[in-house]
Amino acid sequence: MLASLNTTDGTIEIDAPNSAVWLHVTPTTLVELTAGDYVFDIELIDGTDVLALCSADSVLHLLPEVTTST
């Protein structure tokens, strides 16, 4: 596991009115990751049940940092 996010520390925000889940990933979390594809899943755990919000083989495409100058 590369990262674990949760609502307690604010790294996941559940936006029920807009049917969205926001992931707040910090640079500290990303610094260890190289560019590439990563498999992930999102589960909501309420103490009694687990609800999968996306496929267990969803893919995150992490692009390399690109710096441009003007």
Side-chain angles (χ1 to χ4, degrees), residues 1-2 4 6 8 11 17-18 26-27 29 35 42 44 47 50 56 58 60 66-67:
M1 179 181 331
L2 297 173
S4 179
N6 61 72
T8 304
T11 53
N18 292 306
T26 65
T29 301
I42 299 175
L44 290 180
V50 176
S58 298
L60 167 69
V66 177
T67 304

Side-chain angles (χ1 to χ4, degrees), residues 9-52:
D9 67 5
T11 53
I12 289 183
E13 176 186 350
I14 300 172
D15 182 358
N18 292 306
S19 299
V21 175
W22 297 94
L23 308 179
H24 301 284
V25 182
T26 65
T28 305
T29 301
L30 293 175
V31 72
E32 303 277 333
L33 302 178
T34 58
D37 293 341
Y38 293 88
V39 177
F40 73 95
D41 70 340
I42 299 175
E43 298 173 340
L44 290 180
I45 303 170
D46 71 1
T48 60
D49 201 6
V50 176
L51 173 65

